[in-house]
Amino acid sequence: MGSAIQLNRVTKIWNEGEPGAVTAVDSLSLQVGQGEFVVLLGPSGCGKSSLLYLLAGLEQPSAGELLCDGARVAGPAPERSMIFQEASLYPWLTVLDNVALGLRLQGVEQPERDSRAQALLRQVGLGDMGQRRPHELSGGMRQRVALARALAMKPKVLLMDEPFAALDVQTRARMQGHLLEVWRASGASVLLVTHSIDEALALADRIVVFTARPGRVKHEVSVALPRPRNPHDPRMVDLHRQLTELLADEVDRAFLEQETR
Ligand SMILES: Nc1ncnc2c1ncn2[C@@H]1O[C@H](COP(=O)(O)OP(=O)(O)O)[C@@H](O)[C@H]1O
Ligand SMILES: [Mg+2]
């Protein structure tokens, strides 16, 4: 398995050289294989979003290098799509046009882009929602539209920053199911950030646990179990316990640091 993403000793210091400088990510090395589903798990403020911004090409690292498919990340590209916690759809466009927008910007002609967008909407279970506007949809539906829009660009890598955190528990579980289906069909690699151990265990091939800020890799756990996974499976229960312990230390550290800052 080749690597879709490779991070070599990446450091991100916000406001570098100023009094308010913050080291968000410290000399982090990480690889994500082609088609692999990796979940980053860590306490809040440990630099997870910062890392995704770097990978999306929205920010530059202070040191180290980021490679996507062997090429240095120099800026945003459709092959590295980012999905945020709140779907950022254009309210004045229909759902179908939101999904087709990237294709339009790439110069794909009308009937072709509409039929591709429609197929993607079907894939995320929204085949009959194309003519609606975003405000008519629930939060979960909007997030599925955002997913369809990202997939329209045939990304090699999907970067997802706590994409389901704003959704209720039931919707969240269904969204995870949708995501797994779409991931399998697309062959893309996924790097998903969450602070939910349950979510990490439901989704990941591999879970990377971050330390409290500055973010470094504390531990990696492979989850070699078929999906959908039963959370009551003894192996899952065991992994859950292991991750809870790993994370608890870091949450304590993050909390202490905030208290004493
Ligand atoms: N644009 C920014 N400017 C300055 N500091 C930032 C910026 N974004 C994040 N930070 C700081 O970097 C640290 C890590 O933040 P972030 O990457 O958002 O963590 P996480 O996503 O793990 O919660 C925090 O201390 C945060 O305040
Ligand atoms: Mg974040």
Side-chain angles (χ1 to χ4, degrees):
M1 187 163 63
S3 36
I5 292 177
Q6 183 154 2
L7 304 182
N8 297 324
R9 302 182 65 86
V10 169
T11 296
K12 178 63 182 176
I13 305 171
W14 294 103
N15 307 321
E16 196 170 6
E18 292 168 35
V22 174
T23 305
V25 179
D26 186 20
S27 196
L28 182 101
S29 297
L30 179 72
Q31 286 185 24
V32 178
Q34 256 145 32
E36 193 182 16
F37 199 130
V38 173
V39 170
L40 299 183
L41 186 64
S44 101
C46 74
K48 304 181 298 294
S49 294
S50 301
L51 183 64
L52 288 195
Y53 288 138
L54 297 177
L55 275 166
L58 300 170
E59 291 286 340
Q60 297 300 311
S62 309
E65 63 172 3
L66 298 97
L67 306 174
C68 180
D69 251 359
R72 201 180 251 273
V73 171
E79 64 174 27
R80 278 172 281 114
S81 275
M82 178 116 163
I83 294 180
F84 299 91
Q85 186 171 326
E86 300 286 346
S88 47
L89 304 175
Y90 295 105
W92 62 89
L93 293 180
T94 64
V95 162
L96 188 78
D97 288 344
N98 265 285
V99 175
L101 183 64
L103 297 171
R104 189 170 114 200
L105 296 174
Q106 285 185 344
V108 178
E109 297 291 337
Q110 176 93 65
E112 159 83 11
R113 68 175 188 250
D114 281 1
S115 74
R116 276 164 66 180
Q118 184 57 37
L120 287 161
L121 281 175
R122 271 198 302 276
Q123 213 187 327
V124 297
L126 296 176
D128 47 7
M129 293 290 170
Q131 293 315 308
R132 305 289 185 94
R133 307 270 161 186
H135 73 266
E136 298 177 79
L137 273 49
S138 69
M141 287 174 170
R142 282 200 294 272
Q143 209 50 319
R144 280 187 268 162
V145 176
L147 186 57
R149 183 181 55 183
L151 290 169
M153 299 287 91
K154 295 199 174 29
K156 294 188 181 125
V157 176
L158 277 174
L159 304 168
M160 307 184 82
D161 196 357
E162 311 212 27
F164 310 140
L167 305 176
D168 61 78
V169 179
Q170 286 82 6
T171 310
R172 201 170 171 148
R174 293 185 52 184
M175 290 295 293
Q176 290 166 358
H178 276 293
L179 175 59
L180 287 173
E181 277 172 34
V182 157
W183 162 65
R184 266 197 215 97
S186 71
S189 309
V190 177
L191 189 58
L192 181 143
V193 162
T194 184
H195 54 250
S196 160
I197 293 174
D198 292 319
E199 183 156 275
L201 281 171
L203 296 173
D205 290 323
R206 185 156 54 97
I207 300 172
V208 177
V209 183
F210 267 36
T211 59
R213 193 168 58 80
R216 277 191 227 106
V217 175
K218 174 174 177 126
H219 198 72
E220 293 194 16
V221 179
S222 287
V223 190
L225 296 169
R227 303 173 182 87
R229 294 171 180 154
N230 175 0
H232 304 297
D233 181 316
R235 287 167 298 183
M236 288 282 275
V237 173
D238 195 48
L239 284 168
H240 198 288
R241 190 181 39 72
Q242 195 184 336
L243 289 166
T244 305
E245 282 168 17
L246 283 166
L247 205 53
D249 289 351
E250 296 310 317
V251 172
D252 287 347
R253 272 187 48 205
F255 188 71
L256 256 179
E257 193 195 336
Q258 273 164 20
E259 290 286 283
T260 53
R261 208 179 319 174

